[in-house]
Amino acid sequence: MKATAAMSAGNSFIPQRVLVTKFRHHGDVLLTTPLIRALHHYYPGVEVDALIYRETEDMLRHNPQVAHRWTIDRNWKKEGARAHIKHEWRLWRALKARHYDLLIHLTESWRGAALARGLSVMRSIAFDYPRRENLFWRHSFTDLAPLPEKPCHNVALQLSALIALGLTPTAEDFPLSLSVDEAARTAFLSALRRAGWQGEPYLLIHPGARWFFKCWEDASFAALIDALIVRGHTIVLTGAPDARETAMVANILARLKDKARVHSLVGQLSLAELAAAIASAQFFIGVDSVPMHMAAALQIPGVALFGPSKVHEWSPWQAPITVLKASDWTTLPHPDSINTATTTRYLAAIPVEAVLEAVVARQRSARSQAPSGNLSHVKAERKNLTTKNTKKSNRKKHKEKLFTRRREERGEKTVNYAKVTKKLPNSPGARASRPHPSPRTPRLRVKWFF
């Protein structure tokens, strides 16, 4: 369905430039990419800009469907009132100069209402949040999209905003989008080689999350890694440059029986380099966090562990990732009642055996289907490590063909090149000990080939 289809649905509004706002965390911003993809699908040629927090910019940095990324630095407030106002005014003028036709505001932030009023857009869409039942919110937007009666995935919720434009997108038709930067890939491979990697395929494990109540036990992760190493896997550990997460991974490493095939890059990768690490992995294992959504966007098979989260809203979107819920083994508190500062790990009830079985089953399923991961760069790296041996083999084959062709040109009997070269080494003493050829037989000048 293209723009003509949108017009045939009774909607003659065809935007030329759209601003999508999402003031949330990294994973939330990545989950807006299906909406951006849908806008391009329904309105070919449209320009889609994004207004997000600066720390989440990497989620859209290399996305070709985003024309421009406008960012808000939450540290502006720390620079003083005058500097803060200056930053806001500069951003406001830049947005105003873009002359947007459509604004889609995806959070409850009051900033979206101010933008809808001040940017003079033709159409502006927000959701009819219960906490925003007031005249200012209602009169700020031209359209308020109703929230679904039944809970749904966050991607499906955001796509439902397009219903206000007379469109009926099928959520399953629009996967996540995440582009991997080649410079980031090169930097990641260099870091991995420094950690001792020899080019073999690997499983990537990201045990951390923004909030520790979403994390599995360190002892459980260590037991899982030991079991995977016994099965012949190489493990790459990643994590954020956070003191608590670094300590978590250090504790996991200390519990391992064999560290020879485990490479830790915790705190060493940027978000772009982490995307490259996930894209080159054979398999992903993690918890409810942004790396899980990155693996889903890159279609990497994996296993994700969930605790007291709203799984129906935040599960991996359209991805070959198995979800294991702690609620299947124990009773968990409601997600809205969780104190995010708690150190309690509600995933502890998930047994190691269940995770290992899920990994084996998902790997078997991935092998039976088309390759899910992008392993081309890992294969290229392995190829680079064996270039010398390959060239040597090619030179040997070339010598053998040339040797055989010259004997055929002289009308001589074909002999085994390997046996001849074994009898005729290059050392001077060995050359002197060679038997003299018969007077009727031309001298065989094999020295050209050595």
Side-chain angles (χ1 to χ4, degrees):
M1 184 184 298
K2 303 297 183 181
T4 54
M7 293 179 66
S8 64
N11 180 15
S12 59
F13 173 68
I14 306 296
Q16 301 300 314
R17 190 169 289 163
V18 182
L19 177 64
V20 176
T21 64
K22 187 70 175 185
F23 307 126
R24 285 289 187 272
H25 304 303
H26 298 85
D28 304 83
V29 171
L30 183 57
L31 292 180
T32 65
T33 55
L35 173 64
I36 296 172
R37 186 191 291 267
L39 287 168
H40 282 277
H41 173 77
Y42 289 113
Y43 306 115
V46 70
E47 290 186 23
V48 181
D49 290 1
L51 178 60
I52 53 180
Y53 287 133
R54 179 163 298 174
E55 64 266 24
T56 66
E57 187 178 8
D58 277 341
M59 295 294 96
L60 302 177
R61 185 180 299 277
H62 303 289
N63 191 321
Q65 295 185 323
V66 179
H68 197 97
R69 302 175 310 277
W70 304 104
T71 61
I72 298 170
D73 192 341
R74 289 196 261 195
N75 290 322
W76 286 348
K77 297 179 180 179
K78 300 179 181 179
E79 299 180 12
R82 188 171 183 175
H84 187 193
I85 293 173
K86 186 177 180 179
H87 288 305
E88 294 284 1
W89 178 246
R90 187 181 296 116
L91 174 63
W92 181 268
R93 290 182 61 185
L95 294 174
K96 190 78 172 177
R98 291 288 284 168
H99 302 291
Y100 294 107
D101 306 306
L102 173 64
L103 167 69
I104 302 179
H105 182 49
L106 298 174
T107 64
E108 302 177 40
S109 170
W110 289 110
R111 183 187 289 268
L115 289 170
R117 288 174 175 267
L119 293 181
S120 303
V121 294
M122 295 176 61
R123 298 283 294 273
S124 55
I125 304 172
F127 285 101
D128 192 8
Y129 296 107
R131 294 195 298 176
R132 294 291 182 263
E133 291 184 352
N134 55 72
L135 293 178
F136 182 81
W137 184 266
R138 289 184 177 279
H139 291 173
S140 296
F141 303 95
T142 61
D143 301 272
L144 286 180
L147 294 175
E149 296 181 0
K150 296 181 179 180
C152 65
H153 198 280
N154 191 264
V155 170
L157 171 64
Q158 293 176 150
L159 285 170
S160 70
L162 298 181
I163 296 176
L165 299 175
L167 306 174
T168 54
T170 302
E172 289 72 18
D173 292 340
F174 302 103
L176 301 177
S177 301
L178 181 62
S179 301
V180 177
D181 179 46
E182 289 304 317
R185 194 191 301 275
T186 301
F188 151 70
L189 289 173
S190 297
L192 192 54
R193 285 194 297 270
R194 289 195 299 270
W197 180 64
Q198 297 298 318
E200 67 275 15
Y202 62 87
L203 278 64
L204 187 141
I205 298 181
H206 192 101
R210 178 184 296 272
W211 296 300
F212 265 44
F213 74 86
K214 293 185 175 184
C215 298
W216 203 25
E217 293 289 335
D218 297 348
S220 299
F221 263 121
L224 175 65
I225 293 173
D226 283 333
L228 293 172
I229 291 175
V230 170
R231 289 176 172 269
H233 293 294
T234 295
I235 307 298
V236 172
L237 283 169
T238 57
D242 175 77
R244 294 192 308 166
E245 203 159 323
T246 302
M248 174 199 294
V249 176
N251 191 26
I252 293 172
L253 290 170
R255 295 171 179 267
L256 296 179
K257 298 176 182 178
D258 182 9
K259 302 184 182 68
R261 303 185 68 174
V262 179
H263 310 295
S264 176
L265 296 179
V266 177
Q268 302 180 40
L269 303 179
S270 66
L271 270 174
E273 292 163 356
L274 176 59
I278 295 173
S280 298
Q282 267 193 334
F283 202 84
F284 171 84
I285 301 173
V287 296
D288 176 20
S289 62
V290 64
M292 178 201 71
H293 293 299
M294 295 167 74
L298 295 166
Q299 290 295 296
I300 303 300
V303 171
L305 312 182
F306 273 73
S309 301
K310 297 178 181 179
V311 182
H312 57 277
E313 295 183 18
W314 304 107
S315 60
W317 179 253
Q318 303 289 328
I321 298 178
T322 301
V323 173
L324 296 181
K325 299 177 290 185
S327 58
D328 291 338
W329 285 273
T330 188
T331 302
L332 297 176
H334 191 277
D336 294 337
S337 67
I338 298 292
N339 177 9
T340 56
T342 183
T343 57
T344 302
R345 301 192 187 183
Y346 292 100
L347 278 66
I350 302 177
V352 176
E353 295 76 13
V355 179
L356 183 60
E357 289 176 6
V359 170
V360 173
R362 176 54 71 179
Q363 285 181 320
R364 188 182 301 116
S365 175
R367 284 194 297 267
S368 65
Q369 300 171 3
S372 299
N374 179 13
L375 302 179
S376 60
H377 296 273
V378 174
K379 293 178 181 178
E381 186 67 17
R382 295 179 69 184
K383 183 177 180 180
N384 291 336
L385 295 174
T386 59
T387 298
K388 291 184 179 180
N389 292 334
T390 303
K391 289 182 177 180
K392 184 177 180 180
S393 176
N394 291 338
R395 286 197 298 269
K396 184 177 179 181
K397 291 179 181 178
H398 175 70
K399 290 177 182 179
E400 184 175 354
K401 289 181 180 179
L402 187 59
F403 175 83
T404 303
R405 188 173 69 249
R406 289 183 180 277
R407 288 189 64 87
E408 290 176 350
E409 290 174 353
R410 297 188 184 100
E412 300 175 356
K413 182 179 179 180
T414 303
V415 296
N416 189 304
Y417 174 78
K419 291 183 179 179
V420 173
T421 53
K422 185 175 181 180
K423 292 179 180 178
L424 303 179
N426 291 328
S427 61
R431 289 181 183 275
S433 65
R434 296 172 185 169
H436 196 278
S438 169
R440 295 182 179 180
T441 305
R443 179 180 295 276
L444 180 63
R445 300 183 183 277
V446 294
K447 62 180 181 180
W448 297 339
F449 310 114
F450 299 93

